């Protein structure tokens, strides 16, 4: 599935704005056919936004179940005879869509796009009613998993991840048209050999007829540098300008489908020509050792929750640049495609993660809920979860495979990984990721409870990604003990002969809290904690990356270890620097 575009043969119309909206606490909307007319008793909701923090009603914020969105849109007159599609960049966590009275699609998973061909349901020039039922419930067969517990006070959503379960229509909604014979998919794989670059391309065409395929590659100035024909081939770019960290140089690949009558479809793909490889403990981009400096992030802002926002996107990239970061992880789910595009343009390197977070019921010491569940079992995370997880991996790779910024697939964050059940669960998922993309390293993010020598899943990864909180969750406030324990564990991992990226280390820090002694929660402790980690990293050659948890403070469920959310940000939730931001700028920029 390709993202809608405006080209010489395609058009798109953005449906963002204020939609009709209502909760469905009793789950009756579908049987009462709320889609079959104007949504009854509806209020208003912004799209894109999480629905949770717009109003003031706790019933909305904490709603657990279905919600309904509806809008009316006019199909442009000029779209007669075209293939018309409705495209959602995401709906968290699942959705069913009706056009008029007709159900056109359902989708599972809150962070990847889906669409429906609605050509048969609409007429050019006429308006249509578009209704979406979104369900925010997590279960043992969703990714991420969760469980709805029935309590005397009503249903309560429990889950084992540490961010608020924001939901709704978080990203753009498009109406778009393509010709009836169209470019259905496109894959590019790039290579470098001395001064030449190569672009292997493969085009999939759908619809009637057998049009020819012509491709043209243009540089950033619009100069044509290579052309090709046929559905697959290799383009060579002499004197290539590679895509590299800090240098987001992009070529434009135009694919044209050509029939006897002339061009029938045109699609553009930006292409960064670069290579990625793992060589022993080195992580190579364009053959050059790369050291990841950056953060685990979240899509999380005041009022909007997890909605994409272009202004915050640019603000965050400006701050990444200011602090000297060269990378981040899309913890803990695929981010909006605009984020990945921005990373491509800015030369920011990404570890791209699925939404498989919290596959670990032992996490948090009860922080995330009362009742105990086994992680892997027929009743909890089992075959059905694994199938949904496999699909989440496929959808992430299908969406992001052509982005030069993406250099590692992370198939899960901190799952249980020390048990035989975990080994059986994950083995096939690594195979699925490698089948979907044989060109990028695959890994998962290891949790502290499965340290070196105990983890049974790390064997499958091309890289080792570790989240560790020595000096915070263990040896709290005792940085000397933390340093010794961390060093010992890291030396063990270094013996595996794979590159190690420390994907999380961090200390909750309440801005404005100070002490002459480095005391947990103070701005001074955050700096001392980070410095201790850096001493350890700088002694271990296999460590090729340091990504602090977190870029910014973010919203979580309520809990006795969270004060207005998770405070491990180097920036506050509204993106003000804590003292650690200046310390990190010195380390990463060397200033
Ligand atoms: C982790 C998780 C992350 C949490 C973080 C914390 O290991 O991966 O989602 O927010 O710890 O602050 O506890």
């Amino acid at each position: 599935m390709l993202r809608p575009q405006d080209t010489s043969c395609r058009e798109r119309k953005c449906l963002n704005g204020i939609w009709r909206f209502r909760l469905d606490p009793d789950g009756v909307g579908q049987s009462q056919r709320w889609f079959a007319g104007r949504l009854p008793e509806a209020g208003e909701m912004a799209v894109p936004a999480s629905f949770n923090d717009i109003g003031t009603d706790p019933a909305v914020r904490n709603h657990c179940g279905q919600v309904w969105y509806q809008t009316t849109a006019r199909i442009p007159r000029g779209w007669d005879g075209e293939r018309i599609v409705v495209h959602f960049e995401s709906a968290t966590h699942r959705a069913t869509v009706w056009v008029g009275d007709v159900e056109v699609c359902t989708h599972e998973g809150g962070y990847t796009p889906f669409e429906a061909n609605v050509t048969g349901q609409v007429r050019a020039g006429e308006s249509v009613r578009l209704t979406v039922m979104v369900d925010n419930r997590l279960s043992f067969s969703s990714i991420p998993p969760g469980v709805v517990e029935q309590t005397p006070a009503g249903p309560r959503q429990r889950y084992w991840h540490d961010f608020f379960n924001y939901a709704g229509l978080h990203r753009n909604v498009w109406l778009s048209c393509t010709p009836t014979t169209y470019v259905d998919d496109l894959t590019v794989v790039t290579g470098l050999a001395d001064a030449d670059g190569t672009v292997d391309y493969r085009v999939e065409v759908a619809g009637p007829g057998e049009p020819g395929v012509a491709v043209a590659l243009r540089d950033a100035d619009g100069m044509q540098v290579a052309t090709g024909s046929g559905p697959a081939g290799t383009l060579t770019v002499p004197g290539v300008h590679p895509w590299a960290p800090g240098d987001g140089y992009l070529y434009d690949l135009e694919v044209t489908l050509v029939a006897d009558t002339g061009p029938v479809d045109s699609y553009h793909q930006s292409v960064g020509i670069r290579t990625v490889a793992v060589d022993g403990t080195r992580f190579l981009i364009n053959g050059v050792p790369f050291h990841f400096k950056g953060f685990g992030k979240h899509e999380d802002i005041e009022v909007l929750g997890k909605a994409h926002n272009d202004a915050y996107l640019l603000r965050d990239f400006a701050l990444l640049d200011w602090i000297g970061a060269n990378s981040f992880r899309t913890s803990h789910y695929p981010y909006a495609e605009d984020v990945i595009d921005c990373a491509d343009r800015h030369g920011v390197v990404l570890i791209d993660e699925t939404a498989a977070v919290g596959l670990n019921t032992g996490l948090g010491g009860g922080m995330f809920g009362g009742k105990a569940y086994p992680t892997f079992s027929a009743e909890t995370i089992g075959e059905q979860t694994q199938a949904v997880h496999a699909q989440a991996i496929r959808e992430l790779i299908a969406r992001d495979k052509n982005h030069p910024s993406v250099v590692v697939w992370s198939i899960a964050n901190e799952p249980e990984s020390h048990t035989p059940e975990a080994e059986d669960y994950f083995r096939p998922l690594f195979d699925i990721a490698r089948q979907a993309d044989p060109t990028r390293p695959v890994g998962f993010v290891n949790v502290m409870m499965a340290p070196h020598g105990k983890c049974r899943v790390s064997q499958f990864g091309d890289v080792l990604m570790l989240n560790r909180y020595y000096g915070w969750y263990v040896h709290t406030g005792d940085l000397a003990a933390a340093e010794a324990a961390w060093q010992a564990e890291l030396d063990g991992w270094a013996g595996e002969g794979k590159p190690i990226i420390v994907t999380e280390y961090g200390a909750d820090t309440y801005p404005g809290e100070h002490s002459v002694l480095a005391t947990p929660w103070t701005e001074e402790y955050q700096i001392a904690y980070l410095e201790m980690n850096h001493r350890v990293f700088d002694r271990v050659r296999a460590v090729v990356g340091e990504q602090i948890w977190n870029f910014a403070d973010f919203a979580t469920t309520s809990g006795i270890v969270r004060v207005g959310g998770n405070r491990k940000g180097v920036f506050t939730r509204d993106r003000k620097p804590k003292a650690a931001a200046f310390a990190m700028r010195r380390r990463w920029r060397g200033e």
Side-chain angles (χ1 to χ4, degrees):
M1 184 198 323
L2 297 174
R3 199 177 183 199
Q5 275 187 2
D6 275 312
T7 72
S8 57
C9 302
R10 295 173 170 228
E11 279 179 30
R12 61 180 190 176
K13 176 173 174 171
C14 187
L15 299 187
N16 296 357
I18 294 181
W19 290 40
R20 298 187 282 282
F21 176 81
R22 71 172 288 184
L23 304 186
D24 186 3
D26 302 320
V28 296
Q30 196 160 2
S31 59
Q32 292 182 3
R33 296 174 56 83
W34 287 358
F35 53 84
R38 198 179 164 85
L39 187 62
E41 294 162 40
E44 294 183 325
M45 184 50 62
V47 175
S50 296
F51 62 76
N52 309 79
D53 283 353
I54 303 291
T56 56
D57 184 354
V60 178
R61 178 162 221 266
N62 301 317
H63 176 72
C64 174
Q66 288 152 350
V67 300
W68 290 71
Y69 287 80
Q70 191 180 69
T71 193
T72 309
R74 189 168 293 278
I75 310 294
R77 273 187 306 174
W79 290 12
D80 196 21
E82 302 288 303
R83 171 180 165 268
I84 299 173
V85 167
V86 56
H87 181 103
F88 292 82
E89 293 190 4
S90 71
T92 314
H93 296 283
R94 69 189 58 77
T96 304
V97 181
W98 291 263
V99 168
D101 290 1
V102 179
E103 182 182 317
V104 294
C105 65
T106 62
H107 182 255
E108 174 68 33
Y111 303 94
T112 44
F114 57 96
E115 64 182 28
N117 177 347
V118 298
T119 315
Q121 279 74 53
V122 302
R123 296 257 292 271
E126 293 187 357
S127 67
V128 288
R129 193 176 59 247
L130 181 63
T131 310
V132 190
M133 180 180 76
V134 177
D135 189 339
N136 73 348
R137 281 171 296 185
L138 300 172
S139 71
F140 281 117
S141 46
S142 66
I143 291 292
V147 62
V148 177
E149 290 176 353
Q150 297 305 330
T151 78
R156 293 289 182 269
Q157 178 76 66
R158 312 281 182 214
Y159 43 88
W160 298 274
H161 57 264
D162 180 36
F163 53 93
F164 188 78
N165 186 34
Y166 282 118
L169 297 179
H170 287 152
R171 300 176 188 163
N172 300 318
V173 183
W174 301 101
L175 265 180
S176 80
C177 78
T178 73
T180 48
T181 297
Y182 59 98
V183 178
D184 191 31
D185 198 12
L186 168 65
T187 307
V188 296
V189 174
T190 63
L192 292 168
D194 301 322
D196 292 351
T198 55
V199 180
D200 296 339
Y201 72 89
R202 201 178 65 243
V203 178
E204 268 148 55
V205 178
E210 285 189 14
V213 178
V215 299
L217 190 72
R218 298 187 185 86
D219 67 16
D221 297 321
M223 294 294 292
Q224 188 164 293
V225 295
T227 57
S229 60
T234 299
L235 306 178
T236 302
V237 187
V240 64
H241 185 151
W243 186 96
D247 183 6
Y249 191 91
L250 296 173
Y251 291 84
D252 176 69
L253 181 72
E254 183 177 14
V255 178
T256 309
L257 301 187
V258 195
D260 297 341
T261 48
V264 289
D265 193 14
S266 151
Y267 195 85
H268 289 262
Q269 172 68 54
S270 52
V271 177
I273 301 178
R274 58 100 182 97
T275 62
V276 175
V278 166
D279 175 31
T281 60
R282 299 188 310 161
F283 193 97
L284 306 176
I285 298 181
N286 303 340
V288 178
F290 179 68
H291 190 92
F292 295 76
K293 299 182 288 185
F295 300 94
K297 277 186 103 267
H298 263 300
E299 291 187 307
D300 175 271
I301 37 184
E302 290 282 347
V303 182
L304 291 179
K306 290 210 166 306
H308 173 72
N309 178 274
D310 280 337
Y312 268 93
L313 170 71
L314 294 185
R315 177 72 181 158
D316 284 4
F317 272 73
L319 292 174
L320 289 169
D321 183 49
W322 173 86
I323 205 168
N326 60 14
S327 65
F328 63 88
R329 177 170 58 119
T330 71
S331 40
H332 294 309
Y333 35 82
Y335 289 4
E337 287 160 82
D338 290 314
V339 180
I340 319 295
D341 285 341
C342 194
D344 289 346
R345 291 194 305 275
H346 289 245
V348 170
V349 172
L350 299 182
I351 299 172
D352 206 0
E353 190 158 277
T354 69
V357 54
L359 281 71
N360 198 334
T361 57
L363 267 185
M367 181 167 106
F368 304 127
K371 228 163 126 185
Y373 298 89
T375 299
F376 296 107
S377 75
E379 291 73 39
T380 56
I381 296 175
E383 270 176 35
Q384 208 187 335
T385 331
Q386 194 189 37
V388 175
H389 193 162
Q391 182 62 11
I393 293 170
R394 288 190 200 98
E395 289 187 21
L396 170 69
I397 296 177
R399 193 194 73 166
D400 289 351
K401 63 187 173 186
N402 293 331
H403 288 280
S405 56
V406 175
V407 301
V408 176
W409 303 116
S410 167
I411 66 169
N413 179 72
E414 296 195 345
E416 178 180 302
S417 64
H418 63 289
T419 54
E421 292 82 0
E423 189 174 335
D424 291 343
Y425 178 92
F426 276 102
R427 185 184 294 106
L429 295 181
F430 277 86
D431 294 342
I432 283 166
R434 291 200 174 93
Q435 272 157 21
D437 179 9
T439 74
R440 287 178 181 84
V442 182
F444 86 108
V445 173
N446 161 284
V447 67
M448 192 147 191
M449 287 143 62
H452 183 247
K454 290 224 171 109
C455 184
R456 302 175 69 128
V457 177
S458 303
Q459 56 173 319
F460 303 127
D462 301 306
V463 292
L464 298 169
M465 295 188 278
L466 308 179
N467 291 355
R468 288 299 182 275
Y469 288 91
Y470 288 100
W472 187 255
Y473 290 121
V474 294
H475 302 300
T476 316
D478 184 349
L479 292 178
E483 185 164 348
W486 195 185
Q487 182 78 49
E489 198 201 338
L490 208 45
D491 286 340
W493 285 109
E496 298 290 317
K498 296 180 185 180
I500 299 170
I501 306 165
V502 181
T503 33
E504 286 184 28
Y505 60 111
D508 282 273
T509 304
Y510 202 78
E513 188 72 9
H514 294 291
S515 168
V516 288
L517 304 174
T519 312
W521 290 95
T522 63
E523 299 204 31
E524 291 73 23
Y525 188 76
Q526 189 178 30
I527 294 173
Y529 168 96
L530 294 173
E531 285 173 352
M532 177 279 285
N533 274 272
H534 299 147
R535 283 196 296 278
V536 176
F537 303 164
D538 293 347
R539 289 192 290 256
V540 182
R541 194 200 278 259
V543 171
V544 300
E546 51 196 58
Q547 293 189 329
I548 299 171
W549 193 254
N550 187 284
F551 174 73
D553 294 346
F554 58 92
T556 63
T557 43
S558 308
I560 52 169
V561 295
R562 296 287 175 257
V563 185
N566 187 308
R567 296 293 191 152
K568 295 190 186 69
V570 166
F571 296 93
T572 59
R573 198 180 190 205
D574 58 357
R575 278 47 175 178
K576 294 198 183 90
K578 298 180 189 173
F582 298 92
M584 288 316 303
R585 188 167 193 261
R586 284 191 289 278
R587 175 172 169 86
W588 285 342
R589 281 196 164 271
E591 286 170 4

